[in-house]
Amino acid sequence: RSRRLAARALARGARQGALSTAAAQLPAAADVVVIGGGIIGTSVAYHLAKRGGASVLLLERDQLTSGTTWHAAGLMVTYGSLSETSTEFRKYTKELYSIVLPEETGLDAGFKGVGFVELAATPNPNFNRYAGDVTDRLSEYRRVAAYNRHLGVDVQELSPREVQDLVPLCHIDDVLAGFYVPTDGRVNPVDATAALAKGAKLHGAKIAEGVAVADVETREVVSDGGGRHREVTAVLTGCGRRVEAQKVVNCAGMWARDLGARLGVAVPNQACEHYYLITDTMEGVDPNWPVVEDPENFSYIRPEGDGLMIGLFEGDPAPWGPVPENFSFGEIQPDWDRITPFLEAAMGRVPETLNAGMKKLFCGPESFTPDGAPLLGEAPELRNFYVAAGMNSVGILTGGGVGKLMADWVLDGAPPADVDVTGVNVDRFQPFQATRRYLTPRATETLARVYRTHYPDMQPETSRSARVSPLHATLREQGAVFKDVSGWEGADFYAGDAAAADAYAAARTYTFGRPGCWKAWAAEHDAVRSAAALIDMSFMSKFRVVGADAGKLLNRLCTADVANDTPGITYTQFLNEGGRLEADVTVTRVAGDDFLVVATDTAHRHAEAHLRRHAAAGAYSASVVDVTA
Ligand SMILES: Cc1cc2nc3c(=O)[nH]c(=O)nc-3n(C[C@H](O)[C@H](O)[C@H](O)COP(=O)(O)OP(=O)(O)OC[C@H]3O[C@@H](n4cnc5c(N)ncnc54)[C@H](O)[C@@H]3O)c2cc1C
């Protein structure tokens, strides 16, 4: 309640002060319009304005933070990701909240560097049905720690006793080790948003609250070569105003999918229920204790006031929706039956909590994506329309880095050369992955997996068989055990026959060592080396590039000469103007002006957009047809 009051006070103060809410004061045009005033939209606006050179307008439907941001737990953690991009987001964000914003704006973003400990414990038999070995968590976190140290995060491995020295009420009988980052901690999401908003204003951005974007206006552009694409021209507000825009950034949080869908843009994010409990005052709690994550019990614990906050990423989560348009500072009715076993396990880590009263069980919505990474970048379907959504419950702790990346991407028209955006680019998903049928179960499974052990070959269980090849039944008869390949079913290995494959899948456990299918893989490798193999690659992306200029276009994009008369397949790369790799492809000249381009599954829409955009920009007479399936 106090967070909600603070957020409302922030909005009131903002209204009374410099921030404009009156739709009448909206400018007629802005170079960049940012939709949504949560932590992400505010950070994008701040970084755009700070870089300068473009007029920036942020439009917020209701009040800043009123969607998801106001109720975030505020963990500010740099440990834990095996993505360099995400780890760099986290490091940058921590510095932004703790040093840069307070200095620049005079506002405290509420950062407390109390430290963070990730617990590696033996498997909880009620929850961890995949564990191959009791030390699997330890194996995982030692790997994560090594990688994070390589990226400059100061991770220290602690003994169970050292963990208890930091948090004396912590039960440690099952703890194998703690992974400690002394300078991590927590932040106040409302204060951080306020500081970003003030910084954005100081750098010249305009922020208007109470102004919903009802639609985005687009136009079709036809190039000299006949290629067509759509681009944004303006936003239309709910109060009937039109603001011309060169570029638009969709930071609408859990509303981002529907906003994208109205424009034909696939934004696969799904709101799910997300919980934390706050205890009454507890004896012996020190507000300077570090944040403790206890994944074996699907939970995290940190001081909150004179008590503790116990947050969950439960293994059996629930999707939420449809999201009402007027949902502001809202809560969801908790599902006590579903959540109680997880709460009990979580409270077992600090047994005193079982005797403490409960101040609040909070449930609010947060957006999750099919693979647990955010959706960032320019939409392949619509030029100059950018997306920054689907934060998978790390929107606060990555928000600074996300905002910085997006500002550079929007202003330069391309991501910076030193950031690998492959795993966060919104174009890695296909439109079918944004359908409710595929997305809702898969994104909910993403939440279920946040605190599971992350085995290298772990397979998703939901939304399988969205795409199957014509050979699927044949492969199954031959004993294929399938794995998920961008929504396709790909043969992972052959177990002998269909019954053996089913038995393997039913009894499957995972490991950081050699998987059970090791010998089957070895036999396949032997067959490929010593004889021959037929491999089903239906999941690869395939495009026909046809027309008088098809060869010229491909030779412009590829490193190799692909338009010569030598028969065969050319393995080559699409490079951009900076000489960086855009896609790894093969090109086959099928006939004179008819080429087949094959790219990997995850680069499907990236390669396609790259082809189409260059065909249009260079006025090449060439059409691109997706012939994948
Ligand atoms: C219980 C809980 C605990 C969490 N704990 C943490 C944590 O410890 N650390 C962490 O990093 N993250 C945490 N998160 C996640 C974090 O809160 C989110 O990732 C983050 O707030 C998402 O920010 P956002 O800006 O994308 O979305 P939002 O905050 O929802 O902002 C989107 C904004 O867009 C506006 N909008 C929507 N449609 C329109 C429109 N048409 N026109 C104009 N405006 C529009 C909305 O009003 C809203 O204000 C937690 C989430 C929950 C639910």
Side-chain angles (χ1 to χ4, degrees):
R1 181 171 157 72
S2 63
R3 193 82 75 74
R4 192 182 343 225
L5 289 175
R8 285 196 189 280
L10 157 68
R12 252 198 325 275
R15 270 205 303 281
Q16 287 157 5
L19 305 183
S20 158
T21 57
Q25 293 173 15
L26 290 179
D31 292 328
V32 187
V33 171
V34 178
I35 305 174
I39 193 84
I40 298 300
T42 319
S43 177
V44 171
Y46 164 79
H47 285 94
L48 283 166
K50 188 170 179 176
R51 229 190 85 168
S55 55
V56 179
L57 173 67
L58 185 154
L59 299 178
E60 163 54 42
R61 170 194 65 114
D62 187 3
Q63 299 174 3
L64 296 182
T65 76
S66 60
T68 295
T69 297
W70 72 275
H71 58 236
L75 274 55
M76 180 56 254
V77 174
T78 55
Y79 173 85
S81 175
L82 283 178
S83 150
E84 178 174 359
T85 306
S86 180
T87 306
E88 293 300 334
F89 283 165
R90 293 160 188 238
K91 285 164 52 190
Y92 174 86
T93 304
K94 185 163 77 172
E95 189 176 332
L96 182 74
Y97 295 157
S98 59
I99 301 170
V100 178
L101 282 174
E103 277 179 10
E104 238 176 67
T105 66
L107 292 182
D108 181 357
F111 177 76
K112 298 217 175 335
V114 290
F116 165 79
V117 183
E118 183 88 272
L119 296 182
T122 55
N124 178 335
N126 295 328
F127 297 145
N128 200 337
R129 67 191 157 105
Y130 292 117
D133 189 277
V134 289
T135 59
D136 280 352
R137 283 277 181 195
L138 191 56
S139 302
E140 178 184 0
Y141 292 157
R142 283 189 173 148
R143 287 168 186 228
V144 174
Y147 184 64
N148 286 181
R149 281 184 204 118
H150 157 73
L151 295 174
V153 179
D154 173 23
V155 189
Q156 302 166 16
E157 184 172 331
L158 304 182
S159 68
R161 181 63 55 204
E162 288 170 317
V163 170
Q164 206 171 44
D165 287 346
L166 286 171
V167 185
L169 294 184
C170 190
H171 172 81
I172 54 166
D173 282 3
D174 58 335
V175 172
L176 299 168
F179 291 83
Y180 179 46
V181 182
T183 56
D184 280 356
R186 56 182 206 262
V187 67
N188 183 319
V190 173
D191 292 349
T193 309
L196 285 165
K198 183 170 178 192
K201 288 278 297 173
L202 289 172
H203 290 296
K206 290 192 167 59
I207 296 180
E209 293 174 276
V211 181
V213 171
D215 207 352
V216 176
E217 201 179 82
T218 65
R219 71 168 169 222
E220 189 174 66
V221 180
V222 183
S223 74
D224 291 347
R228 290 162 191 273
H229 70 266
R230 282 193 312 136
E231 64 183 23
V232 302
T233 49
V235 297
L236 305 173
T237 72
C239 47
R241 292 290 308 274
R242 178 177 185 276
V243 181
E244 266 178 37
Q246 304 285 323
K247 301 192 174 187
V248 172
V249 194
N250 175 1
C251 303
M254 59 191 151
W255 293 269
R257 178 188 172 276
D258 290 348
L259 179 63
R262 290 209 291 275
L263 303 165
V265 171
V267 183
N269 72 337
Q270 164 71 47
C272 291
E273 295 182 7
H274 203 26
Y275 288 84
Y276 53 69
L277 177 147
I278 297 173
T279 70
D280 277 336
T281 299
M282 283 175 61
E283 285 293 312
V285 168
D286 180 341
N288 291 317
W289 277 350
V291 176
V292 175
E293 266 189 354
D294 181 16
E296 210 48 58
N297 293 310
F298 292 108
S299 61
Y300 60 87
I301 296 180
R302 71 162 179 80
E304 170 75 17
D306 295 329
L308 290 177
M309 172 188 281
I310 301 171
L312 298 180
F313 284 82
E314 70 275 18
D316 173 24
W320 185 70
V323 183
E325 272 195 24
N326 59 356
F327 188 81
S328 282
F329 299 111
E331 292 184 40
I332 303 170
Q333 192 63 32
D335 182 346
W336 280 97
D337 288 346
R338 183 170 64 75
I339 230 61
T340 298
F342 295 102
L343 275 178
E344 283 173 356
M347 293 167 93
R349 180 59 66 205
V350 181
E352 275 75 358
T353 55
L354 295 163
N355 304 319
M358 188 194 70
K359 204 177 265 173
K360 173 86 186 162
L361 177 63
F362 178 84
C363 179
E366 164 64 346
S367 298
F368 291 84
T369 63
D371 63 358
L375 308 166
L376 309 178
E378 189 178 13
E381 302 93 340
L382 182 57
R383 292 249 55 180
N384 298 330
F385 185 76
Y386 291 78
V387 178
M391 292 298 142
N392 298 285
S393 210
V394 290
I396 308 300
L397 65 89
T398 58
V402 167
K404 166 102 173 53
L405 169 71
M406 289 305 301
D408 290 338
W409 203 329
V410 168
L411 294 176
D412 298 334
D418 59 347
V419 183
D420 178 1
V421 297
T422 328
V424 296
N425 198 323
V426 64
D427 72 9
R428 70 191 182 279
F429 289 112
Q430 305 261 2
F432 77 84
Q433 292 171 301
T435 59
R436 287 280 175 229
R437 189 166 168 212
Y438 179 94
L439 174 65
T440 302
R442 176 58 68 83
T444 309
E445 185 179 356
T446 295
L447 168 51
R449 281 166 181 257
V450 170
Y451 278 165
R452 290 199 194 283
T453 312
H454 301 102
Y455 293 98
D457 57 341
M458 199 148 181
Q459 286 298 303
E461 293 177 346
T462 57
S463 307
R464 295 296 299 264
S465 302
R467 291 275 187 279
V468 291
S469 91
L471 292 172
H472 187 78
T474 311
L475 301 182
R476 191 172 144 62
E477 272 166 31
Q478 294 183 1
V481 173
F482 293 96
K483 68 174 178 184
D484 178 79
V485 187
S486 298
W488 289 80
E489 293 298 313
D492 192 6
F493 70 95
Y494 292 85
D497 57 30
D502 288 345
Y504 180 91
R508 187 161 197 162
T509 57
Y510 289 97
T511 173
F512 286 96
R514 286 187 175 180
C517 57
W518 187 264
K519 285 193 177 140
W521 277 345
E524 282 180 42
H525 276 259
D526 276 348
V528 171
R529 283 160 191 239
S530 56
L534 190 61
I535 303 176
D536 179 15
M537 305 289 278
S538 302
F539 52 81
M540 300 289 276
S541 331
K542 297 163 211 81
F543 307 98
R544 284 306 258 274
V545 184
V546 186
D549 293 335
K552 227 162 87 185
L553 167 66
L554 288 168
N555 267 356
R556 164 92 181 108
L557 300 181
C558 297
T559 52
D561 175 11
V562 296
N564 58 43
D565 289 330
T566 316
I569 301 172
T570 308
Y571 171 54
T572 182
Q573 283 77 33
F574 289 171
L575 297 192
N576 60 27
E577 283 77 4
R580 287 184 296 124
L581 195 129
E582 292 286 341
D584 198 35
V585 297
T586 61
V587 180
T588 307
R589 189 171 201 169
V590 181
D593 292 333
D594 182 356
F595 294 80
L596 176 70
V597 175
V598 179
T600 189
D601 51 295
T602 46
H604 190 127
R605 293 211 300 160
H606 192 75
E608 183 180 5
H610 192 72
L611 278 166
R612 289 189 196 285
R613 285 175 182 179
H614 282 84
Y620 292 98
S621 174
S623 49
V624 178
V625 185
D626 182 352
V627 293
T628 306

